[in-house]
Structure formats: structure tokens, C-alpha cells
């Protein structure tokens, strides 16, 4: 077995408490039918459910104060629920995405049509990016509104999915290539953290982000699976020049070893040249990068590991440091920077972070380590350390 490798552990579903607001949300047809059996839809929010087969039920069910977001309905049913006091926001035609969606994306959904001759260009992910490119600077308030509604719906779905979870963020550069030692290290880090029961969350893109999501996916398997997966992926080391080849290699790994561990990816169409990776089971993809960045860090309640990166990772370090400094999200959360030479010499973020933390509660929650093998222990240690000012920091 590889150094620091651990045997796979069984993954059991985690019972997570629902948020109060989600008690009134209906996001599937099955949930709609359960509520319908109670005899009333008053006050419910129905998100993107195909109700064309429920016309007779809608005609005879109270719907006052209900809101229907992007639900397909027969005209007769839509008129009836409006007349009874409901708000109806109809589906938007000719959009490559659903702005009212009630759930996170899956790799299969974003990469649908990848196997066709058109490859990645035919996928919903690529088509959504194309729409964003066409509308991002045209000043159309309708397009802007659709992006905002979509991103808010994604945030709602992400909060529902992560309710009660202990989330560890793993940040790092998109340029890290498959087949490199650093890529393998990030994958083993993701696997190791996932096996402790943490939910691994990344920026959802290629490079170090993909490696960490791959590691979480590999958590239920033995070393052979991860070793062979790394070798297979190395045949398409980077998403350039062909996103299609890069993505197909990942899908091949998933198909060969189905049933991998779950993790979260939070990418953005703002960096549309960076495709999402296929190893995050749940993908919260945003149009607005600032919402995506802050949301990823804010939800990493078990801490963040920062692998070597460039400008984006530096930004994430200090985006995370700011609420830890001010205590605006409560107790500071652990921050572990990996690779001493990178963070003290190449991009000396560590000295600034350490100076910023001096005599603050966050000083007990930051660490610099030499290698990814040291990161899990550092993360666990910082999580157990009382957050009190340390003059020696």
C-alpha cells in the first residue's frame, strides 16, 4: 500500500437536518404528490416540477399564497392556480439551463452528449457558457435577472445538501496536470479526508480541484483503483487542447468504477474555459464568481487546505482570512497552507497571513506544512485547538 494509505471504510448516508424554509419547498413530482395528498398546496414553493400530468389535481386543490417556479403546466391549470391566489413564474423557453432548478447539478447532467461526435461543445455545460458569453455584457436586465435567479436557486440547493455536514475545502491551482506527483498528492489528500467522514468541497474545476474530488470518489475503493485511475487520467493530462478528451477520460474512470464516494464541486461559468470535473457527485455551478468564491469558503466549516496555486488561490486565502480575522462568521476555522517554499518564497502569502493573525483568535487556527501528507493531522489539530490569541504566532 502507498504511504499514508488507509483501508477503505464504508460510506453511510448522513442524516442531515432540513432548514426551516425548505419545509415549504417542493422540488420533485413525488414530493408534490405527498403534499397533494394533504389536500392543500397553500403557501408552498414548487420548483421546476413537470405538472402537465396533474391538471385535474391542480384544478381542485387550494393554492393560495403558493409560488410555482418554472413548473410546466397545462394552460387551464396555470390559469386556475393564478385565479386562486398563486404566483406562477413560467418556464423560460430556449434557455440551455433551468434558472429555477431545485437541485444541484450532476456530472451526467452537465456532460450529457459528451459521447457524441460534437463532444464537449454539445454538452449543457458548454451551451450554458455560450449563452453566458453572449449575454454577460449586453446590458439586458432580463438575462441578468435569470443569472441571479439561477445562482440563488443553486445556493438554496447547496445549503439543503450540506445541512449538518462537516465540510473541508481544498483549494489549489487549475493548471496542475494529471500524471504529476502533485496531482497524485492532492488526490490522496482528498481520499484521506473523505475517509474521516468529512465532505470534501473544491472549486469544482480541473487541476488540484479535480484531484481532490477524484480522491473523495476513490474513498470506498482500495489503492489499486486509485493507482489505475491516475494512470488512465494521465493520458489526457490537461483540459487544453481538448476538453472532450480530458472529460471523456474522467467519465471512463467513473464508468469503470461506479459507486464512488460523494463530494462537492463549486465551479463557475465565469471561468468558462475551465470545465467542471466529473468526480464531484454534486456540482453547484454559478454564473457569478464572487458568489461562488464566498459561498465555497463560507460553507467550509471544518477548515480549508490551500495547495500551491497562483492568483486565484492567493485570493481565496485572504477571502478566508478576513472573516476569521473579524470573527464575522463566528469562531475562526482552520487554515492549512501546503508547501513551505511556495507560500514563503514563490508567493509569500504565509508571512502576511501570520502577521495578520498575530494576537487574534485566528492565530491558533493557521498552519504551514511542507507536504500534503501532513495536512490532515494539521487540520485535525487546529480544529481541536482553542481559538484564543497566541502572542507567539
Amino acid at each position: 500500500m502507498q504511504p499514508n494509505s488507509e483501508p477503505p471504510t464504508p460510506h453511510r448516508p448522513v442524516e442531515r437536518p432540513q432548514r426551516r424554509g425548505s419545509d415549504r419547498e417542493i422540488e420533485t413530482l413525488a414530493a408534490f404528490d405527498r403534499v397533494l395528498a394533504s389536500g392543500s398546496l397553500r403557501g408552498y414553493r414548487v420548483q421546476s416540477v413537470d405538472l402537465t400530468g396533474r391538471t385535474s389535481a391542480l384544478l381542485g386543490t387550494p393554492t393560495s399564497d403558493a409560488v410555482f417556479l418554472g413548473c410546466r403546466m397545462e394552460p387551464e391549470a396555470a390559469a386556475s392556480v393564478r385565479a386562486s391566489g398563486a404566483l406562477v413564474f413560467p418556464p423560460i423557453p430556449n434557455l440551455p439551463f433551468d434558472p429555477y432548478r431545485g437541485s444541484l447539478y450532476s456530472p451526467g447532467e452537465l456532460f450529457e452528449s459528451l459521447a457524441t461526435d460534437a463532444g464537449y461543445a454539445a454538452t449543457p455545460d458548454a451551451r450554458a457558457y455560450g449563452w453566458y458569453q453572449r449575454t454577460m455584457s449586453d446590458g439586458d436586465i432580463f438575462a441578468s435577472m435569470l443569472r441571479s435567479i439561477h445562482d440563488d436557486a443553486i445556493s438554496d440547493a447547496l445549503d439543503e445538501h450540506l445541512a449538518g455536514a462537516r465540510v473541508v475545502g481544498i483549494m489549489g491551482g487549475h493548471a496542475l496536470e494529471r500524471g504529476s506527483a502533485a496531482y497524485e498528492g492532492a488526490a490522496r489528500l482528498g481520499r484521506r479526508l473523505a475517509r474521516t467522514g468529512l465532505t470534501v468541497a473544491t472549486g469544482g474545476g480541473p487541476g488540484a480541484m479535480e484531484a481532490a474530488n477524484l480522491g473523495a470518489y476513490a474513498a470506498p475503493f482500495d489503492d489499486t483503483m486509485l493507482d489505475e485511475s491516475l494512470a488512465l487520467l494521465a493520458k489526457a493530462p490537461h483540459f487544453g487542447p481538448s476538453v472532450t478528451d480530458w472529460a471523456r477520460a474522467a467519465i471512463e474512470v467513473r464508468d469503470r468504477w461506479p459507486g464512488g464516494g460523494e463530494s462537492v464541486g463549486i465551479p463557475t461559468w465565469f471561468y468558462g474555459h475551465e470545465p467542471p470535473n466529473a468526480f464531484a457527485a454534486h456540482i453547484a455551478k454559478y454564473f457569478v464568481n464572487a458568489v461562488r468564491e464566498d459561498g465555497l469558503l463560507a460553507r467550509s466549516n471544518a477548515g480549508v487546505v490551500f495547495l500551491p496555486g497562483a492568483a486565484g488561490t492567493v485570493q481565496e486565502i485572504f477571502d478566508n482570512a478576513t472573516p476569521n480575522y473579524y470573527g464575522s462568521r463566528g469562531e475562526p476555522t482552520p487554515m492549512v497552507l501546503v508547501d513551505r517554499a511556495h507560500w514563503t518564497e514563490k508567493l509569500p502569502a504565509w508571512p502576511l497571513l501570520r502577521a495578520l493573525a498575530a494576537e487574534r483568535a485566528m492565530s491558533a487556527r493557521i498552519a504551514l506544512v511542507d507536504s500534503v501528507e501532513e495536512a490532515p493531522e494539521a487540520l485535525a489539530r487546529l480544529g481541536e485547538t482553542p481559538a484564543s490569541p497566541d502572542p507567539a504566532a
Side-chain angles (χ1 to χ4, degrees), residues 193-204:
L193 292 174
R195 285 179 174 177
T196 68
L198 293 169
T199 296
V200 170
T202 78

Side-chain angles (χ1 to χ4, degrees), residues 220-383:
F221 302 100
D222 60 15
D223 276 359
T224 300
M225 177 270 178
L226 183 55
D227 292 342
E228 293 183 3
S229 296
L230 290 167
L232 192 157
L233 292 170
K235 297 176 182 178
H238 195 263
F239 62 88
S242 173
V243 175
T244 299
D245 292 344
W246 177 87
R248 283 176 177 170
I251 298 298
E252 183 179 346
V253 169
R254 290 181 59 96
D255 289 346
R256 184 171 175 182
W257 291 279
E262 295 189 355
S263 63
V264 173
I266 308 181
T268 174
W269 280 294
F270 181 78
Y271 296 130
H273 63 289
E274 296 180 18
N277 76 72
F279 294 111
H282 308 281
I283 301 174
K285 190 151 191 179
Y286 288 88
F287 287 106
V288 179
N289 186 52
V291 176
R292 167 249 193 173
E293 290 275 10
D294 185 70
L296 172 54
L297 294 167
R299 291 172 176 89
S300 297
N301 53 19
V304 182
V305 177
F306 297 92
L307 300 174
T313 311
V314 172
Q315 176 183 337
E316 289 161 349
I317 290 173
F318 293 101
D319 280 350
N320 196 39
T322 299
N324 279 348
Y325 180 88
Y326 287 112
S328 54
R329 294 181 186 144
E331 287 288 310
T333 51
M335 299 177 65
V336 178
L337 278 61
V338 176
D339 191 329
R340 189 176 303 272
H342 185 86
W343 294 121
T344 62
E345 298 172 16
K346 184 174 182 179
L347 294 175
W350 172 252
L352 179 54
L353 179 64
R354 189 178 183 190
L356 191 68
E359 300 184 4
R360 311 289 288 196
M362 66 178 286
S363 65
R365 296 287 173 84
I366 64 172
L368 175 66
V369 299
D370 291 311
S371 66
V372 290
E373 289 78 16
E374 300 172 77
E377 288 79 7
L379 190 71
R381 182 180 71 253
L382 296 179

Side-chain angles (χ1 to χ4, degrees), residues 96-120:
F97 63 95
D98 179 4
Y100 303 112
R101 62 180 300 117
S103 62
L104 299 178
Y105 292 100
S106 69
E109 183 178 3
L110 288 178
F111 286 114
E112 184 182 1
S113 301
L114 182 70
T116 66
D117 291 342
Y120 177 70

